Amino acid sequence: MTIEEWLGSENKLGIDIWNKKYRNNNESFEDWLNRVSDDDKEVKKLIKEKKFLFGGRILANRGLEKLGEKVTLSNCYVITPPEDSIESIFDCAKKLARTYSYGGGCGIDISKLAPRGAKVNNTAKETSGSVSFMDLYSLITGLIGQNGRRGALMLSISCDHPDLEEFIEMKSDLGRCTKANISIRITDKFMVAVKNKQPFTLKFTRVETGEVITKEVDAYSIFHKICEMNWDYAEPGMLFWDRIENWNLLSLDNNFEYAGTNPCAEEPLPAGGSCLLGSINLAEFITSNNTFDFESFKETVYVAIRALNNVLDEGLPLHPLAEQRRSVSDWRQIGLGIMGLADLLIKMGIRYGSKEAVDLCDMIGHAMADASLHESALLAKEYGFYPNYSESVMDTAFFTKNALGNTRGEIMQYGLRNSQLLTIAPTGTLSTMLGISGGIEPIFANYYERKTESLHGHDEYYKVYTPIVKTYMEEHNIVDDKDLPDFFVTAQTLDYKERIDMQAIWQNHIDASISSTVNVPNDFTVEQVEGLYMRAWEKGLKGVTIFRDGCKRAGILTTSPKEETHEQEEAKGLPRGAVIQVNNDVIGKKRRLTTGCGTLHCIALFDPDSGDLLETYLSKGSSGGCANFMVGLSRMISIAARAGVDVYSIVDQLKSAGTCPSYAVRTATKHDTSKGSCCPVAVGYALIDMYKEVQSDLGLTPESIKSVKKIQPRNTIVNNVAKCPSCGETLIFEGGCNVCKACGWSKCS
């Protein structure tokens, strides 16, 4: 079989995704299939039939360790939360960087860090607070490369932390914490206080000093602020923490504790925890009688659970950190999920969100949960249960609801091979490659607008139909999508209550969590956002995020074209006042400078296509100069770069700063200063040096640079619509992740 035969020769996008993301060194499709399946005949058969796919890390990396490459097969990790000390904070940063270098996405909870104003025993007298360190972790995420892309990060905080209000509003500054998603760990106690309009106490106790910091707030006012931020900026998301802790196989195990979630929030994990992923394509399980094939589905679950356990064993020595290897060995989490749900329902003529759809999902989810538990028990019989296994598993609410009689008997006799089995990940790139819907999401739109150059001197738009819509229209001789039956609902037209109900029924059968985005129209109100989150909590969801069409945060997309008010090609430059938003796909460089005041660290981020300077970060060493000055200088350099000012013009201005007496003295006496006459001039020389290095690394010539710059600036915000950094088309947001339907680019792949 060839890739064209597998995906269809007409599926140019899927073939391109496979070539760019999963194929290794020009291997054939059969060679790739053998590598990612480890020559397992059953797994190969499922992949060929498009019934099951491993997660992206496995499809790209499995077997490459035999070639000496440093890779991980796990998509997600949770780093041990930093304790309230500077040593622990930076130790966490080191672990984060190391994990990124292997290709894993990370989650960090900062609830143990002291709030702003807490007393500390150093020259600062009081701490800058937990939120201040989010920029550090975000910066690291932007710097460490992962085979052409940046890492993914989730930062979370408890709803009773005194820094909660500062955390809520952080993303209103679009220049801060740009490389991280943020979420709040919401407790039932807080939500009850919201519902009853009662006060709520924020509290933190510093172990080192014994200081107790408390603050009483109005619960509803805080909740309203969260919803306002979601309406305007699409963050912070909500993690309903009591549901996370109580609805799983470990809820009664006193030796287990969740420490946070992965970047898309579908994987709550312990400290050092990790999980690898795989997804079953529901669209391939329809019988000739237009019913769901439960027997074939359960057989696929058995094979997938066994396959993920094999990958877990192979990947155990490949985890970047010792704490990760220990955690994975002790708990053996895997995450089997689904994709193609919306396609399944359309093929069966069932409207997404209807009672019929909810009932069908209830049956499929129950079958999946029981089959997963059954196969994990048989693996325990064969290889032994996971090291930390406790019989309390069988008393948990999740087990009681989902394990049928035969499965209960097997687990009573053999235990379980895995402490966590099921999760629903975004599957953005995988589903785009196959041409199906992702995760449990409805289809985002029936069609997308594409622009083409017209012979008449103006832009014209044409419709590109979603694959399942295109197929249905061709089979039923439908010319206009307006004539589609009413079961063709989309993310924009679906009632949010039905969307929540669909996620709720799946969550009943998922022991981990679900990566989920509820897309809502532009006229959705803050009050409706409140209603959505309240319903999500009441229905037992573990977490949810909303995206309102046209809100301020880049990444909120529309399905129809809007007139761009400014020409943005190089010939005319950026319009006056326009500033581009830097995305995650950047190249980082660093220089350590010696100045008259001591040491200075200069970090610069560059565009990976044109090599242009995008952002600069300056920080003092142990004996450097004024921190506030360097922060101000770096921000001004960054905004100038993002506004289209070239690096040489920026450096020309820096070189006008003159000579610093301390710099001149040190140059004359110690001869160890970096090239320059003062800190700004030294920074300028460093920027030029790094810029030239990037140009060389990218193999860019003056001619190729000019060609690249004719493309629209990366992630320019025009009418609050974000563009794909790869092809320039409009992005959509599905399952908690930015996805481009034109070229297959995904932030989360």
Side-chain angles (χ1 to χ4, degrees):
M1 179 178 277
T2 65
I3 186 64
E4 289 79 13
E5 291 171 330
W6 185 52
L7 292 176
S9 58
E10 76 288 349
N11 186 1
K12 303 298 184 184
L13 173 56
I15 294 170
D16 191 44
I17 290 172
W18 180 81
N19 276 303
K20 289 181 178 179
K21 294 184 177 293
Y22 306 129
R23 187 184 191 187
N24 180 61
N25 200 24
N26 295 319
E27 64 190 344
S28 68
F29 175 76
E30 288 291 343
D31 288 340
W32 172 79
L33 191 59
N34 291 333
R35 174 171 65 83
V36 301
S37 68
D38 196 34
D39 287 322
D40 185 311
K41 291 182 180 179
E42 291 182 305
V43 174
K44 280 198 283 189
K45 183 174 183 292
L46 290 178
I47 294 176
K48 282 185 174 182
E49 293 173 348
K50 303 177 189 170
K51 288 184 174 180
F52 168 75
L53 281 179
F54 290 114
R57 293 293 190 282
I58 303 171
L59 295 184
N61 296 339
R62 192 177 190 184
L64 297 187
E65 75 280 359
K66 299 172 185 176
L67 304 177
E69 295 191 28
K70 290 183 177 181
V71 295
T72 178
L73 304 180
S74 291
N75 287 63
C76 44
Y77 294 87
V78 166
I79 304 296
T80 301
E83 299 291 336
D84 191 25
S85 71
I86 200 70
E87 292 81 9
S88 180
I89 290 168
F90 280 88
D91 188 45
C92 179
K94 181 177 70 174
K95 294 176 183 178
L96 187 66
R98 175 51 61 201
T99 304
Y100 285 150
S101 71
Y102 279 66
C106 298
I108 299 175
D109 186 77
I110 61 170
S111 301
K112 293 183 179 180
L113 301 184
R116 181 180 294 276
K119 297 175 183 176
V120 293
N121 296 323
N122 60 35
T123 55
K125 303 301 182 185
E126 60 182 38
T127 178
S128 56
S130 59
V131 173
S132 65
F133 293 102
M134 294 169 65
D135 288 312
L136 167 67
Y137 297 139
S138 175
L139 174 61
I140 292 168
T141 306
L143 285 176
I144 307 299
Q146 294 185 348
N147 192 24
R149 68 183 195 92
R150 300 301 99 186
L153 174 65
M154 168 69 81
L155 294 172
S156 61
I157 198 169
S158 174
C159 66
D160 59 6
H161 194 286
D163 280 345
L164 176 63
E165 291 172 277
E166 184 179 357
F167 183 93
I168 291 169
E169 297 182 346
M170 186 183 196
K171 282 298 188 85
S172 62
D173 182 346
L174 293 175
R176 290 196 67 190
C177 207
T178 58
K179 308 302 185 291
N181 297 329
I182 67 171
S183 289
I184 302 170
R185 292 165 52 162
I186 301 289
T187 62
D188 289 346
K189 183 178 179 181
F190 175 81
M191 291 302 291
V192 169
V194 170
K195 200 169 184 177
N196 296 328
K197 304 288 180 71
Q198 295 172 333
F200 185 77
T201 301
L202 311 180
K203 183 177 180 180
F204 187 92
T205 302
R206 283 213 75 206
V207 176
E208 185 181 41
T209 63
E211 181 185 13
V212 179
I213 299 170
T214 60
K215 181 181 180 182
E216 189 172 275
V217 297
D218 178 73
Y220 173 74
S221 295
I222 294 293
F223 179 72
H224 181 74
K225 175 58 69 175
I226 296 171
C227 293
E228 278 187 326
M229 283 297 299
N230 274 261
W231 184 87
D232 233 357
Y233 298 96
E235 287 194 89
M238 290 195 192
L239 302 171
F240 297 114
W241 205 249
D242 288 311
R243 177 68 168 181
I244 286 174
E245 291 188 326
N246 296 329
W247 192 253
N248 56 71
L249 293 168
L250 297 165
S251 59
L252 300 178
D253 190 330
N254 294 328
N255 296 316
F256 181 84
E257 182 181 11
Y258 286 115
T261 75
N262 73 317
C264 291
E266 78 273 12
E267 276 293 333
L269 291 165
S274 169
C275 187
L276 41 81
L277 305 173
S279 297
I280 295 175
N281 176 13
L282 296 183
E284 295 296 329
F285 292 90
I286 297 180
T287 69
S288 57
N289 296 325
N290 201 38
T291 59
F292 188 80
D293 190 342
F294 280 95
E295 289 306 313
S296 176
F297 176 69
K298 286 189 285 187
E299 289 296 327
T300 299
V301 173
Y302 299 149
V303 175
I305 291 294
R306 186 169 289 267
L308 286 170
N309 271 280
N310 289 337
V311 174
L312 187 150
D313 290 327
E314 289 174 30
L316 191 57
L318 304 180
H319 297 290
L321 305 175
E323 67 182 42
Q324 294 162 351
R325 296 189 286 274
R326 286 194 301 270
S327 179
V328 173
S329 177
D330 287 343
W331 299 104
R332 295 185 64 86
Q333 291 100 340
I334 59 173
L336 178 63
I338 62 162
M339 54 185 170
L341 172 61
D343 294 68
L344 168 72
L345 295 174
I346 288 173
K347 287 182 178 181
M348 296 181 71
I350 299 173
R351 184 177 64 82
Y352 186 106
S354 66
K355 185 180 185 304
E356 188 179 1
V358 171
D359 289 344
L360 177 62
C361 290
D362 192 13
M363 291 187 288
I364 296 173
H366 202 163
M368 186 177 186
D370 178 72
S372 300
L373 290 163
H374 167 86
E375 188 64 21
S376 188
L378 295 185
L379 287 169
K381 175 184 177 182
E382 191 172 350
Y383 300 106
F385 44 71
Y386 64 89
N388 286 355
Y389 176 73
S390 165
E391 291 183 356
S392 63
V393 160
M394 301 187 66
D395 296 323
T396 62
F398 177 84
F399 182 89
T400 301
K401 182 174 181 63
N402 287 285
L404 299 177
N406 290 339
T407 300
R408 290 169 184 262
E410 290 163 352
I411 295 173
M412 184 179 294
Q413 188 173 0
Y414 308 122
L416 284 170
R417 187 67 174 155
N418 311 96
S419 70
Q420 193 159 286
L421 290 161
L422 301 173
T423 193
I424 300 181
T427 71
T429 303
L430 296 183
S431 56
T432 302
M433 180 173 71
L434 295 182
I436 59 173
S437 55
I440 63 163
E441 306 284 341
I443 58 175
F444 183 81
N446 288 332
Y447 63 87
Y448 303 90
E449 298 276 3
R450 294 284 181 265
K451 184 173 70 174
T452 184
E453 299 297 329
S454 170
L455 296 175
H456 304 289
H458 62 274
D459 294 332
E460 291 188 351
Y461 293 87
Y462 62 99
K463 293 179 179 180
V464 177
Y465 287 101
T466 299
I468 186 66
V469 176
K470 182 175 183 290
T471 299
Y472 188 93
M473 291 176 67
E474 290 174 349
E475 290 177 350
H476 294 81
N477 297 316
I478 296 176
V479 177
D480 193 328
D481 55 273
K482 293 179 181 178
D483 297 325
L484 287 168
D486 61 4
F487 55 79
F488 276 87
V489 294
T490 68
Q492 294 292 322
T493 61
L494 181 67
D495 186 317
Y496 79 83
K497 296 176 182 177
E498 293 182 321
R499 173 62 182 77
I500 293 296
D501 292 349
M502 287 288 280
Q503 183 171 339
I505 202 65
W506 275 103
Q507 188 63 79
N508 282 343
H509 307 295
I510 300 295
D511 58 329
S513 192
I514 299 171
S515 178
S516 166
T517 301
V518 180
N519 290 278
V520 298
N522 182 261
D523 60 1
F524 205 73
T525 66
V526 175
E527 289 69 30
Q528 286 177 302
V529 175
E530 292 180 1
L532 187 154
Y533 276 120
M534 186 60 70
R535 186 178 184 88
W537 171 66
E538 292 172 340
K539 286 286 185 175
L541 270 61
K542 290 188 176 182
V544 68
T545 303
I546 76 155
F547 263 84
R548 183 178 64 88
D549 187 22
C551 75
K552 290 181 181 177
R553 180 182 166 194
I556 312 306
L557 310 167
T558 59
T559 57
S560 59
K562 296 181 180 180
E563 277 191 35
E564 296 187 2
T565 55
H566 302 288
E567 187 68 33
Q568 295 184 323
E569 294 184 357
E570 187 197 36
K572 296 186 179 180
L574 285 171
R576 183 173 180 82
V579 177
I580 65 172
Q581 179 74 21
V582 179
N583 62 28
N584 290 346
D585 189 13
V586 294
I587 296 174
K589 294 288 182 180
K590 181 178 182 295
R591 293 292 186 272
R592 180 181 182 276
L593 307 176
T594 302
T595 70
C597 299
T599 56
L600 171 61
H601 301 282
C602 178
I603 295 170
L605 305 180
F606 298 86
D607 186 302
D609 294 328
S610 67
D612 283 339
L613 176 67
L614 295 173
E615 285 185 339
T616 301
Y617 295 88
L618 303 176
S619 62
K620 70 184 185 70
S622 58
S623 58
C626 173
N628 290 335
F629 160 77
M630 281 181 279
V631 169
L633 180 62
S634 63
R635 290 177 74 90
M636 295 310 296
I637 293 173
S638 298
I639 198 168
R642 288 161 50 203
V645 181
D646 68 276
V647 66
Y648 288 102
S649 297
I650 292 172
V651 172
D652 279 344
Q653 295 300 311
L654 295 175
K655 287 181 179 179
S656 301
T659 300
C660 170
S662 62
Y663 206 108
V665 170
R666 179 156 185 156
T667 301
T669 56
K670 294 190 176 183
H671 311 290
D672 64 348
T673 52
S674 300
K675 184 178 180 181
S677 57
C678 64
C679 290
V681 176
V683 168
Y685 280 116
L687 291 176
I688 292 295
D689 184 54
M690 289 185 281
Y691 172 76
K692 290 180 177 179
E693 187 172 298
V694 169
Q695 301 295 308
S696 176
D697 291 345
L698 295 175
L700 292 175
T701 63
E703 291 73 26
S704 62
I705 293 172
K706 185 176 181 180
S707 175
V708 168
K709 288 184 178 180
K710 288 181 180 179
I711 303 173
Q712 180 173 335
R714 299 174 64 78
N715 240 24
T716 305
I717 301 175
V718 181
N719 291 327
N720 295 330
V721 176
K723 301 295 184 180
C724 173
S726 179
C727 71
E729 287 288 355
T730 298
L731 295 173
I732 69 168
F733 203 90
E734 289 182 316
C737 193
N738 279 321
V739 177
C740 177
K741 293 296 185 181
C743 73
W745 179 89
S746 171
K747 179 182 176 182
C748 302
S749 64

